[in-house]
Amino acid sequence: MAAGTRRSLTRGISLLCLLTLARGVDAQGCIAKSSCSCEFVGKGLIDLSSLARSPGPLFLDIKPSLSSDRSVYSFNPCTGFNEGTCKNAAICQTWGGKDTFVCGKPDMANVQYQYEQITDSLSILYSGDESRVGHVRLICDPSASIPRFSAIGEAYTKNYFFELTSKCACPNLCKPLPTVPTFAPDGGDGVSTGISAGSVLLIVVFVLIIVYLIGGAVFLQQRRQATGTDLIPNKELWATLPGLVKEGVVFVISGVRSRAGGYQQHK
């Protein structure tokens, strides 16, 4: 390779490195763990789950600082909320006091973490409906036990900027909430507040047994003047039941043994 070519290649690589540094976005940044948390290598975990409100939002109808933006914005980290026509939104814009638009959704597929090295700041980018994007800049303040949220507004078309100040924006200052698996009756992702089908079956069987015993005892006492153990309905059947169970178990075990013996012989 000629000396001139090597120098051109070296200059090109140097220029590319300088442009990357000037852009200031860390290639690794904060590694996403969920739609509510990410981890800096060597720094720790940032987790906002303790800030989420259900039902939300945590912040309602916040006015932006941009005078050109006459909307108000609601925000809830981690979990979605409903407001007007906004359904399952992380960020909802209300324009003109009635029209609402989803500026960000809380699920993992619509969440991106962006770290700026130059300003040493972390932002969460929420994708919304119709190509809208909500940019929430996290400001670490160890003394901010009560979070603060400010809206800058729609800085350019369909891009909305906000700031969330909290101790939970600092690595390792907020622990993740424990997760308990829940199952909806239809097999979906919702939380089921009912009991399972197996539990219902057990309750029904238990109730039927009680009705059978009490009803039978009342019938025998009224119609046959029975007393003591004679009040048990079908006493003779229940008396022979243990023996029948034993015979059944012995029959099954002997069958298994005979098959096992035949298998050994064939081997």
Side-chain angles (χ1 to χ4, degrees):
M1 184 181 292
T5 304
R6 285 199 300 269
R7 282 195 297 270
S8 298
L9 180 60
T10 302
R11 288 175 181 173
I13 294 173
S14 300
L15 179 60
L16 178 62
C17 293
L18 288 173
L19 288 173
T20 302
L21 290 174
R23 185 170 177 234
V25 178
D26 191 347
Q28 288 187 340
C30 199
I31 301 172
K33 296 298 181 181
S34 70
S35 62
C36 205
S37 63
C38 67
E39 185 171 9
F40 282 108
V41 177
K43 291 183 180 180
L45 182 72
I46 291 179
D47 193 288
L48 304 179
S49 58
S50 60
L51 301 181
R53 175 176 293 177
S54 181
L58 179 62
F59 301 97
L60 177 65
D61 294 343
I62 305 300
K63 294 181 179 180
S65 58
L66 285 176
S67 58
S68 59
D69 189 344
R70 298 184 179 181
S71 302
V72 292
Y73 298 89
S74 299
F75 173 64
N76 197 52
C78 308
T79 58
F81 64 93
N82 299 330
E83 182 182 1
T85 58
C86 288
K87 305 298 180 183
N88 190 35
I91 304 171
C92 181
Q93 176 192 27
T94 302
W95 184 83
K98 56 179 181 178
D99 297 325
T100 55
F101 305 93
V102 177
C103 299
K105 300 177 182 179
D107 51 289
M108 189 64 184
N110 293 289
V111 171
Q112 178 184 351
Y113 296 91
Q114 180 176 292
Y115 175 64
E116 297 287 344
Q117 283 185 320
I118 295 176
T119 58
D120 189 26
S121 63
L122 175 68
S123 296
I124 305 178
L125 277 59
Y126 295 91
S127 298
D129 292 341
E130 300 175 350
S131 301
R132 290 179 170 84
V133 180
H135 306 251
V136 179
R137 180 170 174 253
L138 302 183
I139 299 177
C140 169
D141 184 353
S143 65
S145 298
I146 299 176
R148 301 187 300 273
F149 181 74
S150 60
I152 299 169
E154 188 174 5
Y156 55 96
T157 305
K158 293 186 177 180
N159 279 264
Y160 312 85
F161 291 82
F162 311 91
E163 291 182 345
L164 176 65
T165 304
S166 170
K167 70 175 185 179
C168 294
C170 307
N172 297 328
L173 285 192
C174 289
K175 296 181 179 180
L177 295 178
T179 56
V180 179
T182 55
F183 305 93
D186 59 355
D189 298 329
V191 177
S192 173
T193 57
I195 58 179
S196 66
S199 299
V200 172
L201 180 61
L202 288 175
I203 292 173
V204 171
V205 171
F206 184 70
V207 170
L208 289 177
I209 291 174
I210 292 177
V211 171
Y212 165 76
L213 292 174
I214 295 177
V218 171
F219 174 82
L220 292 173
Q221 196 274 333
Q222 295 292 331
R223 293 298 181 91
R224 301 182 183 178
Q225 286 75 45
T227 58
T229 56
D230 292 334
L231 291 172
I232 301 175
N234 299 311
K235 182 177 69 171
E236 295 78 9
L237 173 64
W238 298 114
T240 59
L241 183 61
L244 294 174
V245 172
K246 179 180 178 182
E247 291 177 4
V249 172
V250 171
F251 175 78
V252 172
I253 293 176
S254 62
V256 171
R257 286 179 177 175
S258 64
R259 289 185 182 181
Y263 174 73
Q264 292 294 336
Q265 290 177 3
H266 285 296
K267 286 181 68 178

